[in-house]
Amino acid sequence: ERGALLAPDGSTVALAPLLAGAEVGLKRAAGWPSPTHEPPTTLDALYAVTVTEALGTAFLLARAHNHSRAPLGPDGCWDDVENPQNFTLMGPPSPIPDAVANGALDGVLLGARLAEAPVPLSSLLRSYYGTGNGTASGRPPSSYRRRDFGALTGPGKLEEEVAAMLRLLRVLPPTQGLLEDVGAEEEVAIAHRAARDFMEAYVECPAIVPRCMWGARPYRGTPRPLSLPLGSVYIHHTFVPSAPCRSFSACAHAMRAMQRFHQDTRGWDDIGYSFVVGSDGYLYQGRGWHWVGAHTKGHNSKGYGVGYVGNFSASLPDPDTIALVRDGLLPCAVRAGWLHRNYTLRGHRQVVNTSCPGDSLFQEIKTWHGFE
């Protein structure tokens, strides 16, 4: 009912917050005055119509049900990524499932752009999602939505906007009851927690494409659970495919090819890696956080195996792709409790007789936190 669609970058986007943000941007460009509210507030309409009303309401509802924090998410999957018709969430819905978060990020970014320089909406959407002339050319701007939203907004700005929204919700009939016994100090705490949780989930941590979205085969046999948190991370390159994948379509194809090779040729239960890193701006779920992989012989139950798509013997992944793991995945894994704070990071070659992860990438990871 929120108008979810599958974008060319592989992300699912809710149209409601996207178009609401675009509308605010166009109105600002046309010189329309911002509406005034009672009591006086510094509410920014661009954030109000995209994210802060849903975010504030989510945390108020969680409080009303005695939950310590509001759920954000979940993600979901399409029935067929080549011909998507039906989208199904992977868990109980919150006011901000991942599709709504993506739509909100895009709505803020595109609304801000339209406010500065109005262009036909169709042209803006084609260029943003990488569909100019029906073909994708490199990484589309939409794959940078988390980075760009963080640069535009920052945690302080989002916290201010949630606080302003809570003051408005206090006087609106549908939500007055949720704030009747919320004092000023608790209101500030709710705004802080809501902004922090949203920024951690949708800005600081990278998006991970679930198995159902890249077309994974079923696991063969019974997965073995990991004993969390783990103490190690092992960095790989895939070698084959040798070229980095730079679009959702190419990365999903690479994932399926690797899974077929690992299952049919190697005889493994599933694709071996815990996570795979595309050069399209996304991580791809292999065995994931909870299940023992087949990535680093003798060490599979001790750490996560993270593989970069490509051959990085003589060249490096793009800086953004390096940062996806170094500055995104690893700190987020520590924060979530999947990885020990004092984890050890190694290249595949340090524990197995192999050239993996390639000379160039190995020299790079020597500079990362936790390398030993």
Side-chain angles (χ1 to χ4, degrees):
E1 66 273 16
R2 293 185 174 111
L5 54 80
L6 178 61
D9 68 355
S11 60
T12 301
V13 179
L15 280 174
L18 165 64
L19 296 179
E23 182 182 20
V24 169
L26 289 169
K27 286 182 175 179
R28 286 181 176 174
W32 288 27
S34 297
T36 57
H37 302 286
E38 294 293 338
T41 177
T42 57
L43 192 74
D44 186 329
L46 183 58
Y47 290 87
V49 301
T50 52
V51 63
T52 57
E53 181 180 4
L55 190 54
T57 302
F59 275 75
L60 291 174
L61 289 172
R63 179 186 180 277
H65 291 92
N66 297 316
H67 297 312
S68 59
R69 59 196 302 171
L72 297 173
D75 201 351
C77 278
W78 293 89
D79 50 351
D80 182 348
V81 295
E82 301 297 331
N83 182 31
Q85 299 295 321
N86 298 299
F87 180 72
T88 305
L89 291 173
M90 297 166 66
S94 77
I96 305 185
D98 286 10
V100 170
N102 287 334
L105 299 179
D106 293 349
V108 169
L109 293 170
L110 296 184
R113 189 181 305 178
L114 286 167
E116 292 181 357
V119 296
L121 191 56
S122 58
S123 300
L124 179 66
L125 293 174
R126 285 194 181 97
S127 63
Y128 183 71
Y129 291 110
T131 57
N133 299 320
T135 61
S137 176
R139 279 186 65 176
S142 59
S143 70
Y144 292 100
R145 61 168 63 86
R146 296 185 178 215
R147 182 201 69 182
D148 292 348
F149 181 89
L152 178 69
T153 306
K157 167 68 172 174
L158 187 60
E159 184 175 335
E160 290 174 8
E161 293 306 323
V162 176
M165 176 54 70
L166 291 175
R167 292 194 293 272
L168 179 60
L169 293 177
R170 191 182 283 278
V171 300
L172 295 179
T175 48
Q176 278 178 327
L178 293 173
L179 285 131
E180 280 179 345
D181 60 342
V182 177
E185 287 188 7
E186 187 179 6
E187 187 179 279
V188 170
I190 290 172
H192 175 75
R193 191 163 60 247
R196 181 198 65 198
D197 286 4
F198 184 88
M199 294 297 279
E200 284 184 357
Y202 296 115
V203 176
E204 296 169 16
C205 292
I208 299 175
V209 176
R211 293 169 60 88
C212 51
M213 282 296 290
W214 57 262
R217 290 173 170 179
Y219 190 96
R220 292 177 179 171
T222 303
R224 286 194 297 134
L226 291 163
S227 179
L228 303 174
L230 300 185
S232 297
V233 177
Y234 305 102
I235 302 297
H236 301 248
H237 69 166
T238 62
F239 194 71
V240 177
S242 61
C245 59
R246 300 188 183 278
S247 69
F248 166 67
S249 176
C251 291
H253 180 271
M255 291 295 292
R256 293 191 295 271
M258 284 187 281
Q259 188 187 38
R260 284 195 302 272
F261 176 69
H262 289 175
Q263 286 185 323
D264 298 347
T265 303
R266 292 280 175 86
W268 298 344
D269 292 333
D270 195 6
I271 189 170
Y273 305 110
S274 306
F275 297 97
V276 175
V277 193
S279 293
D280 62 337
Y282 298 101
L283 291 155
Y284 288 76
Q285 180 188 358
R287 304 275 180 119
W289 296 118
H290 299 286
W291 309 113
V292 176
H295 46 79
T296 312
K297 190 173 182 179
H299 299 264
N300 291 316
S301 63
K302 301 175 183 177
Y304 294 113
V306 180
Y308 277 85
V309 177
N311 176 358
F312 296 108
S313 301
S315 62
L316 281 174
D318 302 330
D320 290 340
T321 306
I322 291 172
L324 205 60
V325 176
R326 182 192 62 204
D327 305 333
L329 181 71
L330 298 180
C332 289
V334 170
R335 205 159 50 226
W338 311 132
L339 196 59
H340 274 296
R341 187 166 297 278
N342 59 341
Y343 67 86
T344 297
L345 183 135
R346 294 185 176 93
H348 189 195
R349 63 173 63 182
Q350 292 176 265
V351 290
V352 175
N353 183 19
T354 177
S355 63
C356 180
D359 290 346
S360 292
L361 184 54
F362 183 64
Q363 292 303 315
E364 163 62 31
I365 67 170
K366 284 182 176 181
T367 67
W368 292 14
H369 172 77
F371 179 84
E372 184 176 291

